[in-house]
Amino acid sequence: MPVITILGCRMFEDEIMHLLENDPEIEEVLVVENEDCVGIMKKMAEAGLAYTALSPEKIPEKSSETGKGLTLIVYMLELALHAIPENLKKTVYSKVELMSSCSDGILLFYGLCGNVLGKIEEDFKDLGCQVCILKEENGEIVDDCIGAVLGGRKQYLEVLKSCRGVGTFFLTPMWAVNWREMIRTSGLSQNPDDISMSKFVFDYAGYKRVARLDTGLAYEKDFDACVKEFSTLFEFEVTELEGTLHLIENCYAKTKASVFEACPRSQA
């Protein structure tokens, strides 16, 4: 039975949940147990999805068992890695190497992220385990988690142009509920609870609007309340944007098809 590992930033929790809930070929879900898996395990429990949480060293090696189903391993990584791009690269690369021994394929839920992951597929082409990253139809790696749910770079640029020079801060559901942590991680403010300082930074950067980016997923129940809090604290106008899951779904489908085609254990 083929094994695919999803190795991703916590910002993609909801999109990964969407795949877990809507792929009938998944027969087993393993979650690598760490501090960053708590959110997605809670959502899986709420959705009634069965899973087994294991420490990294307890993840089983690939077996010779055949079957048409799929084992999916979920490995979430911390948001703080974005603070130092080289640390992000070092961590992601090390986790890919770690999970390659128990996976037929690895799908990275990351974008370019400061351009440190732009060559990861090439760097691991001889690994013996397919390594894929979120990409557009034209083969270009997505910029980041916002670009991924807008549908790609073209759509991202169109949205930015529609802002007509008004600085706009994008909030997906996961961004909205974690905005304080992400402001600190992105370097906008060392103390996001110091609203006056954060507001000064936003004003200096030209931000005047927050975009509520609706991905169509409702796992985060406090999305609207968090957007309202954010807009009120920083006196931002709220604008509505509609996201899409097409790019996410397409990348997952391509990775899965490629792994099934290459894996002899997928033949019952």
Side-chain angles (χ1 to χ4, degrees):
M1 188 161 60
V3 179
I4 293 177
T5 290
I6 287 181
L7 180 64
C9 172
R10 275 180 51 212
M11 281 294 106
F12 282 108
E13 263 185 22
D14 290 355
E15 289 75 20
I16 294 170
M17 270 296 302
H18 171 72
L19 298 177
L20 293 174
E21 279 205 286
N22 290 281
D23 184 357
E25 292 186 294
I26 298 174
E27 291 196 1
E28 179 183 34
V29 177
L30 305 178
V31 179
V32 177
E33 204 166 22
N34 59 19
E35 292 180 0
D36 301 288
C37 72
V38 175
I40 198 163
M41 288 197 304
K42 179 181 178 182
K43 290 171 184 176
M44 291 171 67
E46 290 173 348
L49 292 179
Y51 68 89
T52 301
L54 297 171
S55 60
E57 58 271 17
K58 294 292 181 67
I59 298 294
E61 298 288 316
K62 290 179 289 189
S63 72
S64 58
E65 180 184 350
T66 60
K68 292 186 178 181
L70 172 69
T71 294
L72 198 68
I73 302 174
V74 178
Y75 199 156
M76 307 305 298
L77 298 182
E78 61 182 308
L79 301 178
L81 289 174
H82 291 276
I84 303 176
E86 281 305 316
N87 284 353
L88 172 63
K89 179 179 181 179
K90 181 179 179 180
T91 301
V92 171
Y93 272 57
S94 68
K95 300 307 182 188
V96 167
E97 292 174 346
L98 174 68
M99 300 306 295
S100 64
S101 64
C102 56
S103 308
D104 298 292
I106 297 174
L107 176 57
L108 301 171
F109 271 66
Y110 281 97
L112 288 172
C113 298
N115 212 29
V116 296
L117 299 178
K119 295 184 178 180
I120 194 165
E121 289 186 352
E122 179 182 344
D123 289 342
F124 284 114
K125 64 182 179 181
D126 299 320
L127 188 62
C129 169
Q130 296 183 54
V131 178
C132 306
I133 191 168
L134 295 178
K135 291 188 289 190
E136 304 182 33
E137 290 284 356
N138 61 9
E140 292 186 353
I141 299 174
V142 299
D143 288 319
D144 51 32
C145 56
I146 301 299
V149 295
L150 284 174
R153 188 166 298 139
K154 179 182 177 181
Q155 293 85 348
Y156 207 164
L157 289 174
E158 287 176 353
V159 169
L160 290 174
K161 287 179 181 177
S162 71
C163 295
R164 301 185 180 186
V166 178
T168 303
F169 201 90
F170 296 89
L171 290 181
T172 61
M174 278 298 292
W175 254 99
V177 299
N178 294 285
W179 69 262
R180 283 182 169 83
E181 185 174 356
M182 289 305 292
I183 282 179
R184 182 174 58 251
T185 297
S186 63
L188 282 172
S189 174
Q190 291 302 310
N191 180 13
D193 291 322
D194 184 348
I195 301 303
S196 60
M197 179 55 71
S198 296
K199 189 175 188 305
F200 172 80
V201 173
F202 278 131
D203 288 343
Y204 184 80
Y207 285 107
K208 297 184 181 302
R209 181 186 297 164
V210 57
R212 177 187 178 276
L213 179 47
D214 186 359
T215 60
L217 303 176
Y219 300 111
E220 290 295 343
K221 310 304 180 187
D222 295 329
F223 181 28
D224 289 333
C226 290
V227 171
K228 183 177 181 181
E229 176 196 35
F230 187 88
S231 64
T232 300
L233 287 174
F234 299 110
E235 301 177 14
F236 284 174
E237 173 191 349
V238 179
T239 185
E240 300 283 338
L241 286 177
E242 185 174 339
T244 174
L245 299 173
H246 175 74
L247 187 150
I248 301 287
E249 294 170 337
N250 191 47
C251 289
Y252 176 70
K254 285 184 175 180
T255 299
K256 194 171 77 165
S258 180
V259 166
F260 269 67
E261 182 179 356
C263 181
R265 302 192 316 284
S266 66
Q267 306 303 316

